[in-house]
Amino acid sequence: MASSEEDGSGNGSVEEKENGKKRSLGALATAWLIFYNIAMTAGWLVLGIAMARFYIQRGTHRGLFRSVQKILKFFQTFALLEVVHCAVGIVHTSVLVTGVQVSSRIFMVWFIAHSIKQIQNEESVILFLVVWTVTEITRYSFYTFNLLNHLPYFIKWARYNFFIILYPAGVAGELLTIYAALPYVKKTGMYSLRLPNKYNVSFDYYYFLIIVMFSYIPLFPQLYLHMLRQRRKVLHGEVIVEKDD
Amino acid sequence: MKHYEVEILDAKTREKLCFLDKVEPQATIAEIKNLFTKTQGRSLKDEDVLQSLPVGTTATFYFRDLGAQISWVTVFLTEYAGPLLIYLLFYFRVPFLYGPRYDFTASRHAVVHLACACHSFHYIKRLLETLFVHRFSHGTMPLRNIFKNCTYYWGFAAWMAYYINHPLYTPPAYGDEQVKLALAVFLFCQLGNFSIHVALRNLRPAGSKTRKIPYPTRNPFTWLFLLVSCPNYTYEVGSWIGFTIMTQCLPVALFSLVGFVQMAIWAQGKHRSYLREFRDYPPLRSPIVPFLL
């Protein structure tokens, strides 16, 4: 799910999934991660502000995607680095989970919104853009403060509570957008390969998108429940510790 | 000589982890750590004798529930029977797979008939080997493996078979030459793969689970053991490369690639466990690709 959040540690150096012990990162890795997370927080903030300004000035969402697409594409594509962080080991999350996460975002941005221009003014696009913006600003600032060892409780609270509404809202935005794109994909036959050809393979982007939409059914509940379990562990666990004190 | 008793507790929970009787006074901490990990990390075999285990007069066994299990033979038979049947459904163009005007028609390309023969031969061979050749180390594997494995085998078989047997199939670009070469590679590797399976079977007496280093025999196909730890996987990849060239079908190429990656991982694991178990393991051998991987 493009709007979902990673579990526990993500881009911070603290391993929340385990017993709260920090793993030591090199100074260079820490510095880079701090820079990366600050830059991403700033990027998504700028995107959010750009979206707000557009709406305030024009009073409509038509043309909003076109006006913010460069910032969106830049910062969302840059997030591919997060897969590298996991692969290299400076972030302790599975490469697979991060890969799926980032891929689904790249897919929505480049293979749906960018390629199928007719759906750029759909309300569902604004929906997932807003959700992503709030989610990413929360997520990246969480990682930033974590790395700096000064995590304000409200950011932790936001990171583990916002998703409850944002996640389903984001999924709705994405699904509605893909659904709106279907007729244009069918009409143009884009990204499709028909038989006969010398590779003896075919690909129908239209049916591929339908399969993608159906795949949300098994995937979304699993990821959502995972976040709920993380939330219980992190926030609930926090409360118990304070009581024992 | 006076022996020591060594008790190892978990630092956090104070739980008794291990009790070592008869520890020699000259034993180093490293040796004691070794004794400890042997009782902890490695799972015990059915054949292990109690007296030979490095424990004291009290042995503590740790029970781990492996979950629902299914026999290896059952899994192999199911995962191989599927592709055999599924491919034939597409070959005979059973209704609902292609358009109604193609139902039960035959392809006009000779290579399509050849491909069906090769694919079927391959899976019949596998089924027969499962029943009569292989000697399995483990009786069972986790139940969920059968769903995972069958999805993989059956899914890919359907995907490949759909295109090869399609009315709009395009035969190989280099025609008969390409098909003949591919067939030669395929048959060579099938024979090779079978030879290795037989050689491995002969290493192990019936009903036993002994492990020995495999060596080349009089059969020239087994001479690949000189260069590679798992020549059965090498030959298997070769067979599928042959089939890819024969059919010139991208899904087949992808199936070969995925299979190669998986077998390379298994070969590396097998190679490492050979190295661990046998001090005199031939150093020239690499896991699956001579000199490279």
Side-chain angles (χ1 to χ4, degrees):
Chain A
M1 292 338 59
S3 58
S4 68
E5 303 189 12
E6 292 168 17
D7 52 346
S9 47
N11 275 308
S13 64
V14 173
E15 187 74 7
E16 289 176 2
K17 284 186 288 189
E18 300 181 0
N19 50 18
K21 277 215 304 257
K22 279 186 220 153
R23 296 195 193 169
S24 56
L25 269 183
L28 184 62
T30 313
W32 162 252
L33 284 176
I34 292 172
F35 165 74
Y36 175 80
N37 285 300
I38 291 178
M40 295 303 268
T41 311
W44 284 91
L45 254 172
V46 167
L47 179 67
I49 291 170
M51 294 197 322
R53 286 180 72 189
F54 183 95
Y55 192 80
I56 291 168
Q57 285 172 357
R58 310 278 190 95
T60 174
H61 65 274
R62 295 185 71 83
L64 187 147
F65 182 84
R66 287 209 77 81
S67 93
V68 302
Q69 66 178 333
K70 282 211 174 70
I71 310 173
L72 170 70
K73 285 169 182 171
F74 180 80
F75 285 98
Q76 186 60 82
T77 310
F78 207 66
L80 279 169
L81 268 180
E82 285 167 46
V83 183
V84 178
H85 293 164
C86 296
V88 161
I90 57 177
V91 168
H92 303 295
T93 310
S94 103
V95 176
L96 186 64
V97 171
T98 312
V100 168
Q101 206 103 331
V102 173
S103 303
S104 74
R105 288 288 185 93
I106 300 283
F107 171 73
M108 283 302 306
V109 169
W110 290 102
F111 292 96
I112 303 288
H114 165 80
S115 317
I116 309 167
K117 302 208 175 343
Q118 299 92 328
I119 52 91
Q120 283 173 2
N121 290 321
E122 292 282 324
E123 287 81 356
S124 52
V125 171
I126 309 305
L127 176 57
F128 77 71
L129 279 181
V130 168
V131 163
W132 289 6
T133 306
V134 176
T135 304
E136 298 301 63
I137 293 174
T138 314
R139 184 168 75 97
Y140 287 116
S141 41
F142 174 85
Y143 295 147
T144 308
F145 284 109
N146 230 7
L147 282 161
L148 295 166
N149 292 320
H150 284 289
L151 181 67
Y153 184 73
F154 83 91
I155 295 198
K156 183 185 223 166
W157 188 93
R159 197 239 197 281
Y160 285 103
N161 280 297
F162 282 0
F163 81 90
I164 297 176
I165 304 290
L166 290 182
Y167 196 178
V171 166
E174 290 163 35
L175 283 176
L176 286 168
T177 307
I178 299 175
Y179 185 73
L182 287 177
Y184 302 106
V185 171
K186 187 166 200 150
K187 196 165 55 163
T188 61
M190 66 189 297
Y191 296 155
S192 299
L193 181 62
R194 300 241 180 279
L195 289 176
N197 63 74
K198 63 177 172 173
Y199 303 109
N200 288 308
V201 70
S202 64
F203 181 74
D204 191 330
Y205 194 48
Y206 177 77
Y207 289 111
F208 174 74
L209 287 180
I210 293 179
I211 293 173
V212 166
M213 289 178 71
F214 275 110
S215 73
Y216 274 66
I217 298 176
L219 291 176
F220 167 67
Q222 284 190 46
L223 291 167
Y224 194 63
L225 286 171
H226 172 76
M227 283 304 295
L228 282 174
R229 263 179 271 127
Q230 284 295 99
R231 173 180 180 272
R232 216 163 291 146
K233 209 170 26 155
V234 170
L235 294 182
H236 187 57
E238 186 85 330
V239 173
I240 289 181
V241 167
E242 278 167 15
K243 274 199 195 146
D244 280 339
D245 223 304
Chain B
M1 182 169 25
K2 187 180 83 150
H3 281 111
Y4 280 84
E5 288 173 351
V6 175
E7 193 180 57
I8 302 178
L9 309 174
D10 183 288
K12 271 190 233 135
T13 66
R14 305 275 165 193
E15 203 183 296
K16 203 197 302 197
L17 293 174
C18 181
F19 188 89
L20 298 168
D21 206 353
K22 297 205 214 68
V23 180
E24 314 214 332
Q26 306 308 318
T28 61
I29 300 299
E31 284 161 16
I32 294 175
K33 274 194 203 170
N34 231 344
L35 287 174
F36 172 59
T37 51
K38 272 216 220 131
T39 62
Q40 270 278 289
R42 209 171 32 97
S43 48
L44 302 170
K45 299 205 205 89
D46 288 353
E47 296 74 32
D48 284 342
V49 176
L50 184 58
Q51 216 175 354
S52 66
L53 295 174
V55 292
T57 49
T58 317
T60 306
F61 291 149
Y62 295 88
F63 170 79
R64 190 170 49 203
D65 190 348
L66 296 174
Q69 298 280 299
I70 185 168
S71 85
W72 273 63
V73 174
T74 308
V75 174
F76 272 33
L77 291 178
T78 318
E79 69 189 13
Y80 296 155
L84 181 61
L85 291 168
I86 289 170
Y87 193 100
L88 289 171
L89 290 176
F90 285 92
Y91 176 73
F92 289 112
R93 293 189 184 152
V94 149
F96 297 107
L97 295 174
Y98 303 108
R101 63 186 171 122
Y102 296 115
D103 290 351
F104 297 118
T105 56
S107 170
R108 52 194 173 88
H109 304 291
V111 67
V112 172
H113 306 296
L114 181 62
C116 181
C118 290
H119 188 271
S120 305
F121 172 78
H122 178 78
Y123 281 102
I124 292 172
K125 168 179 160 292
R126 286 215 202 183
L127 286 165
L128 292 174
E129 284 171 342
T130 303
L131 290 168
F132 302 115
V133 177
H134 295 318
R135 292 208 166 114
F136 295 100
S137 297
H138 304 284
T140 66
M141 63 167 87
L143 180 64
R144 54 182 18 231
N145 276 16
I146 196 171
F147 301 109
K148 207 167 37 106
N149 293 10
C150 285
T151 305
Y152 172 76
Y153 277 104
W154 297 16
F156 259 115
W159 196 36
M160 288 192 275
Y162 174 77
Y163 290 110
I164 299 171
N165 298 295
H166 199 282
L168 295 176
Y169 171 76
T170 308
Y174 297 100
D176 281 351
E177 295 298 302
Q178 187 171 333
V179 175
K180 278 196 214 132
L181 170 70
L183 180 63
V185 170
F186 177 80
L187 288 176
F188 182 86
C189 291
Q190 289 289 283
L191 268 169
N193 178 265
F194 179 70
S195 305
I196 303 301
H197 286 160
V198 169
L200 289 171
R201 168 203 175 80
N202 291 335
L203 273 185
R204 172 179 280 177
S208 82
K209 294 187 186 165
T210 50
R211 296 154 66 84
K212 302 212 292 261
I213 303 179
Y215 282 106
T217 68
R218 277 212 287 250
N219 181 340
F221 285 110
T222 65
W223 297 352
L224 196 47
F225 270 122
L226 289 168
L227 298 175
V228 152
S229 288
C230 301
N232 49 320
Y233 292 148
T234 317
Y235 283 121
E236 182 69 17
V237 177
S239 297
W240 284 106
I241 291 175
F243 194 67
T244 306
I245 298 171
M246 187 190 297
T247 56
Q248 200 172 293
C249 178
L250 189 61
V252 180
L254 287 173
F255 180 66
S256 311
L257 181 65
V258 175
F260 171 65
V261 170
Q262 177 65 86
M263 285 187 277
I265 293 172
W266 288 337
Q268 303 231 328
K270 189 98 195 124
H271 183 77
R272 248 177 259 134
S273 75
Y274 275 144
L275 288 172
R276 246 184 284 129
E277 194 163 346
F278 305 109
R279 299 265 145 223
D280 54 338
Y281 195 73
L284 183 62
R285 294 188 192 181
S286 47
I288 186 173
V289 179
F291 309 115
L292 292 177
L293 197 64

